[in-house]
């Protein structure tokens, strides 16, 4: 259950916060005008409630404005150092409701969808008169009850949830109220309202902006940010809806689009697809956004439009919301938004860089074309100083067997042990079963042979120099291997690589037990990469994976660029380019140190004119 399993260590959390008042007191200490206590407690309960809904898996995806910080790479503006809250959270517009959609594996008719939604929500927050009889939340500090359910046409259903703080310290004497109740709204979108132009994205960071003892990061699957941006583009470019008899422009979506443009790396290909397929355009009889992009009724308004006072309306919104008071004037915001949205129409643009406020050339196109040139005979005369990728810090992730290493290290170990024929005779339907069966064959083998394999690995030609120069150029390097720590650990140390993921080979009393734990299969490599992305602040779009086998396919699909090194059929099909030797990546290492390693965050806004 990625993103939810064990989201709260009850003993540690309740040890720190035995009563609701203790939690509120702590939130008051770390709060600020931009991230007040009320926002913190609602974000905390919203995250906890989503965890309750998703305790059996990832079927409930988060969407809307509330999880915007979870998409963000960093906030590239200023915050005046008001609090210890990460500015990524502090600068996002306040949005306290929980917008979700239920995304089961099967397609459901609307009535079945509603029935499933109702059943799951009411299991976590039953409809009961006594709030003390509600569903348990936050390790027992609160109870959830549903006060009201409103089905709004065919678009969504809104659950109004009462959150009642309780004192559960009296044991057999029962619960009692321990503070004022408050409400959260759970707005469940219907399938017809959710566009799915690409796969959901795992949150880069927790959807809860405060760090508390015992609270693990809550990182749900999110609706793709490209789809979210496309929706907000449509809301601003199409004629506003009518509320209470007057036009109701969505001034808040200006803030959200600007926030996306200043914090979120966005895949250009995905955004182009999301814009082309967005259902709002079809319902309005349009083929897509205006070119160049403009808000509906933006002065000077066209003859067929009613002029909207966007500047004035946003100024009033900004005056009311503390987070927005650090945002620039309307004109500067619209320039940033227009650069972001107009650039999306250019197929040569790859990833939007929020820190620079500009589109970067397509990494896939640029690397692939460079690889093509490297294969050509005339490549030997090409200037080696010509950069291959944008001048930013990238994460390069390497497989080991038949990638960094010329040989399969497990076969090498089996050969040293005299059991190679038995190991090669193992056939299994999947990677994990195969590896475990092969390791079982090696039960009782002297562990000194493992050390011998680790010390004598023959590296692929150019691999050691490539990694050394990648690191010197300021890039990050990691190893994700389906092999074993006893071999991969010494190899990583030899190459100066600080981060690696590998299974743990069972060794007792100096011999192999025939078992392996923590095996890094295909999904395991993806999990490791996601962890490194978050730790290093490098998004998937700037991650390059190099591997050869079928167990590398998952990580190839999870990164911005996949390089198959003398790959098998499955890996070749998932690769963006095929490498014959490591030397074909050597142009990367001639880049100057990435400017993000040397440019203070506070001055990055002035670097938007720099080229890559």
């Amino acid at each position: 259950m990625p993103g939810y399993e064990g989201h709260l260590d009850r003993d540690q959390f309740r040890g720190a916060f035995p009563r609701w008042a203790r939690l509120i007191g702590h939130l008051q200490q770390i709060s600020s005008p931009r991230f007040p206590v009320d926002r913190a407690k609602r974000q905390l309960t919203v995250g906890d409630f989503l965890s309750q809904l998703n305790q059996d898996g990832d079927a409930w995806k988060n969407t809307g404005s509330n999880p915007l910080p979870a998409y963000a790479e960093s906030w590239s503006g200023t915050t005046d150092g008001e609090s210890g809250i990460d500015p990524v959270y502090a600068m996002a517009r306040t949005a306290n409701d929980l917008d979700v959609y239920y995304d089961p594996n099967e397609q459901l008719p609307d009535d079945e969808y509603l029935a499933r939604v109702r059943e799951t929500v009411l299991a976590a927050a039953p409809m009961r008169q006594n709030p003390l009889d509600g569903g348990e939340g936050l390790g027992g500090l609160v109870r959830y009850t549903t006060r009201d359910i409103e089905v709004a046409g065919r678009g969504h259903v809104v659950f109004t949830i009462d959150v009642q703080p309780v004192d559960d310290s009296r044991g057999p004497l029962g619960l009692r109220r321990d503070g004022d109740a408050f409400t959260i709204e759970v707005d469940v979108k219907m399938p017809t309202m959710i566009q799915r132009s690409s796969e959901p994205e795992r949150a880069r960071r927790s959807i809860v902006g405060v760090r508390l003892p015992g609270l693990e990061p809550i990182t749900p699957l999110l609706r793709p940010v490209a789809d979210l941006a496309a929706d907000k583009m449509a809301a601003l470019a199409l004629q506003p809806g009518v509320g209470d008899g007057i036009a109701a422009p969505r001034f808040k979506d200006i803030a959200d689009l600007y926030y996306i443009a200043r914090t979120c790396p966005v895949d250009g290909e995905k955004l182009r697809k999301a814009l082309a397929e967005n259902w709002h355009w079809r319902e309005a009889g349009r083929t897509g956004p205006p070119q160049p992009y403009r808000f509906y009724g933006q002065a000077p308004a066209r003859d067929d439009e009613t002029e909207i006072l966007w500047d004035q309306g946003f100024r009033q919104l900004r005056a009311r919301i503390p987070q927005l008071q650090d945002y620039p004037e309307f004109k500067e915001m619209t320039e940033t938004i227009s650069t972001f949205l107009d650039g999306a129409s250019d197929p040569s643009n790859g990833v939007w860089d929020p820190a620079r406020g500009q589109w970067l050339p397509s990494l896939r196109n640029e690397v692939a074309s460079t690889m093509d040139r490297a294969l050509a005979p005339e490549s030997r005369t090409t200037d080696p100083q010509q950069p291959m990728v944008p001048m930013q810090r990238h994460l390069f992730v390497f497989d080991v067997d038949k990638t960094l290493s010329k040989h399969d290290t497990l076969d090498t170990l089996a050969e040293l042990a005299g059991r190679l024929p038995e190991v090669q005779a193992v056939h299994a339907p999947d990677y994990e079963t195969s590896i475990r069966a092969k390791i079982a064959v090696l039960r009782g083998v002297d562990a000194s042979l493992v050390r011998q394999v680790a010390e004598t690995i023959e590296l692929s030609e150019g691999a050691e120099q490539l990694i050394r120069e990648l690191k010197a150029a300021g890039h990050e390097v990691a190893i994700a291997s389906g092999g074993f720590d006893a071999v991969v650990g010494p190899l990583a140390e030899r190459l100066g690589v600080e981060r690696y993921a590998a299974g743990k080979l069972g060794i007792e009393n100096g011999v192999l037990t025939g078992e392996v734990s923590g095996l890094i299969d295909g999904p395991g490599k993806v999990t490791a990469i996601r962890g490194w992305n978050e730790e290093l602040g490098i998004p998937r779009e700037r991650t390059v994976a190099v591997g050869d086998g079928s167990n590398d396919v998952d990580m190839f699909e999870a990164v911005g660029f996949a390089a198959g090194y003398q790959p098998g059929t499955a890996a070749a099909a998932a690769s963006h380019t095929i490498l014959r030797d490591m030397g074909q990546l050597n142009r990367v290492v001639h880049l100057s140190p990435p400017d993000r390693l040397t440019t203070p965050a506070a001055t990055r806004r002035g670097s938007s004119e720099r080229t890559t």
Side-chain angles (χ1 to χ4, degrees), residues 460-586:
S460 297
E461 186 175 351
E464 190 166 6
Q465 179 183 359
L466 172 63
I467 290 177
R468 182 171 60 250
E469 295 188 357
L470 281 173
K471 289 169 62 66
H475 298 291
E476 300 289 345
V477 179
I479 294 173
S481 172
F484 317 109
D485 56 345
V487 173
V488 177
L491 173 62
E493 184 176 359
R494 170 182 170 184
L495 295 172
V497 174
E498 299 176 2
R499 296 170 181 82
Y500 68 87
K504 184 175 180 61
L505 197 59
I507 298 176
E508 291 182 4
N509 301 320
V511 299
L512 272 61
T513 64
E515 298 177 345
V516 60
S517 60
L519 187 66
I520 305 298
D521 57 2
K525 292 189 178 188
V526 175
T527 299
I529 290 171
R530 289 287 175 264
W532 295 326
N533 288 151
E534 183 172 351
E535 174 193 354
L536 297 169
I538 298 176
R540 66 182 296 272
E541 293 84 3
R542 295 206 308 275
T543 302
V544 178
V546 185
D548 72 295
S550 59
N551 66 322
D552 295 317
V553 170
D554 286 320
M555 77 168 178
F556 279 7
E557 294 175 347
V559 299
F561 188 80
Y565 179 74
Q566 301 179 8
T569 303
S575 299
H576 298 118
T577 195
I578 305 299
L579 302 179
R580 292 186 310 183
D581 60 73
M582 292 293 179
Q584 290 173 235
L585 283 175
N586 63 1

Side-chain angles (χ1 to χ4, degrees), residues 77-315:
T78 59
T79 60
D80 302 328
E82 279 196 7
S83 74
I85 302 293
D86 188 326
V88 163
Y89 296 95
M91 299 311 300
R93 177 180 63 82
T94 301
N96 289 325
D97 56 337
L98 174 61
D99 288 337
V100 290
Y101 61 99
Y102 180 62
D103 191 18
N105 292 329
E106 74 273 28
Q107 294 293 323
L108 299 176
D110 283 358
D111 56 346
E112 287 188 36
Y113 180 89
L114 281 173
R116 190 85 60 88
V117 164
R118 182 186 176 94
E119 178 185 7
T120 308
V121 174
L122 292 183
M127 295 190 81
R128 291 177 182 158
Q129 293 294 324
N130 185 355
L132 300 183
D133 292 336
E136 182 180 300
L138 286 180
L141 273 186
V142 302
R143 294 294 185 269
Y144 299 121
T145 52
T146 296
R147 183 201 306 174
D148 184 56
I149 304 174
E150 178 186 358
V151 179
R154 60 188 182 90
H156 56 130
V157 54
V158 179
F159 295 80
T160 301
I161 310 293
D162 286 329
V163 183
Q164 175 63 62
V166 298
D167 176 8
D168 60 358
S169 63
R170 301 195 301 166
L173 296 177
L175 299 176
R176 61 183 176 185
R177 301 183 191 215
D178 195 29
D180 294 333
F182 58 96
T183 63
I184 58 176
E185 285 191 348
V186 179
D187 190 346
V188 184
K189 312 298 184 185
M190 296 290 285
T192 52
M193 205 175 172
I194 293 296
Q195 170 190 349
R196 299 179 183 85
S197 67
S198 56
E199 291 299 310
E201 303 174 9
R202 178 69 63 189
R204 286 188 169 92
R205 61 188 74 228
S206 179
I207 61 172
V208 179
V210 293
R211 296 183 180 180
L212 301 172
L215 178 67
E216 297 297 325
I218 300 175
T219 54
L221 288 175
L222 307 175
R223 186 183 181 200
V225 70
D227 289 349
L228 194 62
D231 272 359
K232 294 183 179 297
M233 283 182 67
L236 291 165
L238 296 173
Q239 184 172 356
V242 176
D244 298 326
I246 60 174
R250 295 175 60 92
F251 297 103
K252 64 181 184 178
D253 285 331
I254 301 175
D256 290 347
L257 262 182
Y258 181 75
Y259 183 87
I260 290 172
R262 291 301 302 274
T263 65
C264 302
V266 180
D267 186 300
E269 183 178 343
K270 290 182 179 179
L271 183 54
R272 286 186 284 275
K273 183 178 180 183
L275 293 174
E277 297 179 358
N278 188 269
W279 65 281
H280 293 287
W281 306 123
R282 294 195 300 271
E283 286 204 343
R286 298 268 291 273
T287 58
Q291 289 288 333
Y293 182 81
R294 61 188 295 275
F295 302 158
Y296 174 92
Q298 185 175 346
R302 298 190 316 222
D303 292 341
D304 60 338
E305 295 180 344
T306 301
E307 184 169 320
I308 304 293
L309 301 179
W310 290 106
D311 192 345
Q312 179 180 331
F314 186 78
R315 194 179 304 120

Side-chain angles (χ1 to χ4, degrees), residues 348-392:
S348 68
N349 283 333
V351 176
W352 171 258
D353 182 345
R356 294 171 179 237
Q358 66 184 39
W359 285 95
L360 302 178
S362 169
L363 176 61
R364 295 180 182 181
N365 291 346
E366 188 171 354
V367 174
S369 63
T370 303
M371 293 302 175
D372 290 342
R373 292 197 300 274
L375 290 172
E378 61 270 19
S379 65
R380 283 170 289 191
T381 63
T382 303
D383 180 5
Q385 301 300 315
Q386 179 183 352
M388 186 183 75
V389 298
M391 192 173 63
Q392 292 179 282

